[in-house]
């Protein structure tokens, strides 16, 4: 595969749990994706970027080898790949992307009791993540065997081929449906943005800078809210203290009402119902919380 000098190549999952949110993020950053059904690449029309569509397991290797300049992959897959290669093939992780959150957990049949990690000594554990698991056990001084499985790991105890499993858990429904209990989270994961350690052209570096700033803008606008309320002027100091992550609020007078003001502020942290209730108790009324579509610092 010949590398383009100017068009940035990003390896992304073609289909699966990561793919939808990856494409949603790329679209939210304003990329216009020209899909090519069945093709290996999607071309971005408004920035010099190509998307390389692959299985998630191939992404860390492609980024390390420079087949792709960037890659979006779960931390679980990246960590397993790096440990499997004795940490000799680590790309650079340049951003945690805040989606595809899940945990890698040890789970036992519901019928088994659990005291502590020592219960895993001399047991056989089915997993798709033998390197992460063995590294974790080594730190805890546990000696156990791993049975490497790819797919349907949760059925291993029922089949009698393993005593326990170590698998990705999101809602916990799969464990429950298979009569298993989550006893220990050994690794927390989310989608990562990886960057190759190979030298990049100035054009590619510039595109990465632009992309990172847009990713940050998307992340901030998701968390950030615009909040508006009316209040007696005397309540301003108390209300300002209650506004989560807000810089100096904008204060305006209300026509015909000498002692009342309107307060507008950008809150960089989540605004919960509890926050709104506290604002109300401190004297605010007509409280409105609005989403922010785009932000550029
Ligand atoms: O085909 P390809 O190799 O690209 O994809 P894949 O089948 O290997 O991976 P895919 O698409 O299933 O998952 C991609 C990534 O999504 C994973 O590597 C994780 O980083 C992340 N992710 C987030 C998950 C889950 N949530 C998840 N729930 N990956 C897998 N699961 C599975 C888990 O293995 C178990 O079978 O869902 C089941 C548990 O879910 P709950 O909700 O029942 O607990
Ligand atoms: Zn995979």
């Amino acid at each position: 595969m010949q590398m383009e000098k100017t068009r940035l190549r990003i390896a992304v999952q073609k289909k699966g749990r990561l793919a939808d949110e990856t494409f949603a993020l790329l679209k939210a950053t304003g990329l216009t994706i020209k899909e090519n059904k069945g093709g290996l690449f999607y071309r971005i029309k408004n920035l010099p970027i190509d998307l390389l569509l692959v299985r998630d397991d191939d992404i860390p290797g492609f980024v390390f080898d420079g087949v792709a300049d960037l890659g979006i992959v779960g931390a679980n897959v990246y960590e397993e790949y790096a440990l499997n290669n004795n940490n000799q093939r680590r790309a650079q992780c340049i951003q945690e992307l805040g989606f595809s959150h899940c945990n890698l957990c040890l789970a036992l049949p519901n019928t088994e009791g659990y005291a502590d990690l020592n219960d895993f000594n001399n047991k056989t554990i089915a997993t798709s993540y033998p390197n992460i698991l063995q590294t974790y056990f080594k730190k805890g001084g546990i000696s156990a065997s791993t049975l490497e499985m790819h797919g349907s790991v949760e059925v291993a105890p029922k089949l009698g081929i393993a005593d326990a499993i170590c698998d990705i858990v999101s809602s916990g429904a799969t464990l429950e449906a298979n009569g298993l209990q989550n006893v220990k989270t050994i690794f927390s994961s989310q989608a990562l943005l990886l960057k190759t350690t190979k030298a990049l052209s100035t054009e590619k570096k510039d595109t990465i800078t632009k992309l990172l700033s847009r990713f940050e803008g998307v992340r901030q606008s998701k968390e950030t809210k615009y909040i508006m309320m009316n209040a007696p002027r005397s309540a301003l100091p108390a209300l300002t203290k209650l506004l989560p992550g807000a810089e100096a609020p904008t204060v305006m007078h209300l026509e015909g009402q000498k002692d009342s003001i309107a307060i507008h502020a950008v809150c960089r942290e989540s605004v919960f119902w509890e926050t709104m209730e506290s604002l109300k108790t401190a004297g605010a009324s007509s409280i409105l919380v609005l989403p922010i579509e785009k932000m550029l610092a």
Side-chain angles (χ1 to χ4, degrees):
M1 218 184 282
Q2 207 191 337
M3 277 306 278
E4 258 269 1
K5 284 215 177 59
T6 55
R7 294 185 68 81
L8 189 75
R9 188 179 285 171
I10 312 177
V12 298
Q13 190 190 31
K14 186 185 174 86
K15 209 167 71 170
R17 282 188 173 87
L18 268 175
D20 287 351
E21 285 187 273
T22 299
F23 284 107
L25 171 67
L26 295 175
K27 284 180 184 158
T29 59
L31 302 193
T32 314
I33 302 171
K34 187 170 182 290
E35 298 194 3
N36 165 20
K37 293 275 175 255
L40 188 58
F41 291 100
Y42 282 176
R43 200 175 170 87
I44 303 298
K45 288 201 271 186
N46 53 346
L47 273 181
I49 298 176
D50 290 318
L51 304 180
L52 172 62
L53 305 167
V54 288
R55 289 197 59 176
D56 66 347
D57 314 75
D58 292 331
I59 293 174
F62 281 169
V63 176
F64 182 81
D65 289 329
V67 173
D69 307 305
L70 298 180
I72 294 178
V73 72
N76 52 318
V77 170
Y78 174 55
E79 191 61 23
E80 182 64 21
Y81 171 86
L83 292 174
N84 193 33
N85 289 284
N86 299 318
N87 286 319
Q88 300 299 303
R89 291 172 59 82
R90 277 198 186 266
Q92 222 184 320
C93 169
I94 53 172
Q95 209 168 61
E96 293 184 331
L97 294 172
F99 63 83
S100 274
H101 285 281
C102 56
N103 291 317
L104 185 59
C105 300
L106 281 161
L108 286 170
N110 286 331
T111 47
E112 303 274 324
Y114 178 73
D116 59 30
L117 206 59
N118 290 308
D119 291 2
F120 288 102
N121 265 319
N122 306 315
K123 294 274 164 59
T124 300
I125 295 113
T127 187
S128 310
Y129 300 89
N131 290 286
I132 298 180
L133 180 60
Q134 285 298 1
T135 304
Y136 183 82
F137 276 160
K138 205 167 163 193
K139 277 190 201 143
I142 306 296
S143 162
S145 343
T146 43
L147 172 69
E148 192 166 339
M149 283 179 74
H150 295 280
S152 303
V153 173
E154 63 280 356
V155 301
K158 253 189 254 169
L159 294 177
I161 53 176
D163 304 299
I165 70 163
C166 178
D167 199 12
I168 298 288
V169 177
S170 174
S171 66
T174 306
L175 291 186
E176 202 180 314
N178 287 281
L180 298 166
Q181 53 178 322
N182 175 359
V183 294
K184 189 91 197 162
T185 294
I186 71 159
F187 187 84
S188 290
S189 179
Q190 62 171 292
L192 303 179
L193 180 65
L194 303 182
K195 179 172 158 240
T196 189
T197 50
K198 307 267 184 244
L200 295 176
S201 65
T202 312
E203 290 93 333
K204 286 186 177 184
K205 280 188 201 157
D206 289 348
T207 309
I208 292 177
T209 306
K210 197 177 274 181
L211 205 58
L212 286 179
S213 149
R214 290 196 191 183
F215 280 171
E216 183 56 20
V218 171
R219 193 189 62 75
Q220 283 190 12
S221 64
K222 254 195 224 162
E223 287 171 12
T224 307
K225 296 283 180 275
Y226 195 77
I227 185 162
M228 309 195 281
M229 72 201 81
N230 294 344
R233 185 172 288 278
S234 58
L236 182 61
L239 293 172
T240 306
K241 274 197 204 128
L242 287 171
L243 290 170
E247 284 152 24
T250 306
V251 176
M252 289 160 278
H253 85 272
L254 289 170
E255 192 59 32
Q257 295 188 36
K258 204 160 72 54
D259 294 325
S260 294
I261 50 170
I263 304 169
H264 289 199
V266 171
C267 292
R268 293 181 184 276
E269 291 162 27
S270 303
V271 179
F272 299 105
W273 281 105
E274 289 77 3
T275 316
M276 293 172 70
E277 283 157 5
S278 307
L279 291 168
K280 194 164 179 218
T281 308
S285 60
S286 306
I287 308 167
L288 288 180
V289 179
L290 308 173
I292 290 176
E293 196 185 306
K294 288 190 180 71
M295 281 187 77
L296 198 59

